[in-house]
Amino acid sequence: MNPDSKVMQALLLAADVVIINVLLIFTALPVVTAGAALAAAHGTLLELINDEHDGVVRTFFRYFRRSWKTATPGWLILLLGGAVLVWEYWALGRMDGGAAVVAQAAVVAGAFLLALWAVWFFPLASRGEAFKPTAKLAAALGIGKLPRSLLALVMLALPAIALLASPGAWAIWLAAMAVLGWALPLYLADLVLREPLATPAEG
């Protein structure tokens, strides 16, 4: 088969995404390293999209080492912030009255804003720049590039949407996630985000 054919290129791309998915899963297993794993996956996928990588394994671990100081505090903020928001929503749900419903809506809005921030933060964190300016830029892009942010968020939510659509097929879902289910949504999101990420100061 011609190595330059579209079919071969698609197969090579799929193989690279599978490798990135496996690396992402294993480097995220300690939980505290999940932020660096996400940043490394984003950085590698963006190079893959731009056809710039020098081997996905080498590229992944280069980004992992570069980004962990920036990505780890962002991951902890996302993890702790998400846990607090879930607890608040649950606690408010046990209360009666319109005020509780309004408060729950505010919690949902907070979770939405946190998600918009996270959509941009981890791709930006792959650059290994300081946490504070990276976090600020992620917040600015999350709102300033809202249509892209929403589309990327939908891409990232595809695994959850698939599971909700077919809850009885959880075994197949787990198998798919183990093969490429985590990296593929990141790849699709990076396709949406790559243009502003290339020139963040101008976006």
Side-chain angles (χ1 to χ4, degrees):
M1 184 178 291
N2 184 354
D4 295 325
S5 69
K6 291 184 178 180
V7 173
M8 180 58 71
Q9 289 176 356
L11 291 173
L12 291 173
L13 173 61
D16 285 337
V17 173
V18 169
I19 293 170
I20 293 169
N21 193 69
V22 172
L23 293 171
L24 172 60
I25 291 171
F26 279 99
T27 55
L29 283 177
V31 180
V32 72
T33 60
L38 282 169
H42 276 293
T44 307
L45 288 165
L46 285 165
E47 287 203 12
L48 191 64
I49 289 167
N50 295 322
D51 197 22
E52 297 172 345
H53 71 93
D54 182 23
V56 292
V57 176
R58 181 184 305 175
T59 303
F60 183 94
F61 284 106
R62 171 165 52 85
Y63 277 109
F64 189 89
R65 291 190 297 270
R66 175 191 296 178
S67 64
W68 72 270
K69 288 184 179 179
T70 304
T72 301
W75 168 248
L76 294 176
I77 288 172
L78 181 63
L79 201 61
L80 296 174
V84 169
L85 289 168
V86 169
W87 180 85
E88 286 184 345
Y89 188 88
W90 173 83
L92 290 166
R94 296 171 63 86
M95 300 170 58
D96 295 325
V101 174
V102 172
Q104 279 187 313
V107 170
V108 171
F112 178 69
L113 291 174
L114 183 62
L116 290 181
W117 174 80
V119 161
W120 292 93
F121 175 78
F122 293 104
L124 290 169
S126 68
R127 298 174 176 180
E129 297 173 0
F131 170 76
K132 189 173 181 180
T134 300
K136 285 184 176 180
L137 182 57
L141 288 171
I143 301 300
K145 300 289 185 180
L146 188 59
R148 287 181 185 268
S149 303
L150 292 173
L151 182 54
L153 195 58
V154 170
M155 298 298 102
L156 294 173
L158 285 176
I161 294 171
L163 183 60
L164 289 173
S166 302
W170 60 270
I172 297 174
W173 182 87
L174 283 175
M177 296 303 290
V179 175
L180 52 74
W182 300 107
L184 181 58
L186 295 182
Y187 176 82
L188 296 174
D190 286 335
L191 285 173
V192 175
L193 303 177
R194 66 170 173 168
E195 185 179 342
L197 286 171
T199 54
E202 299 174 10

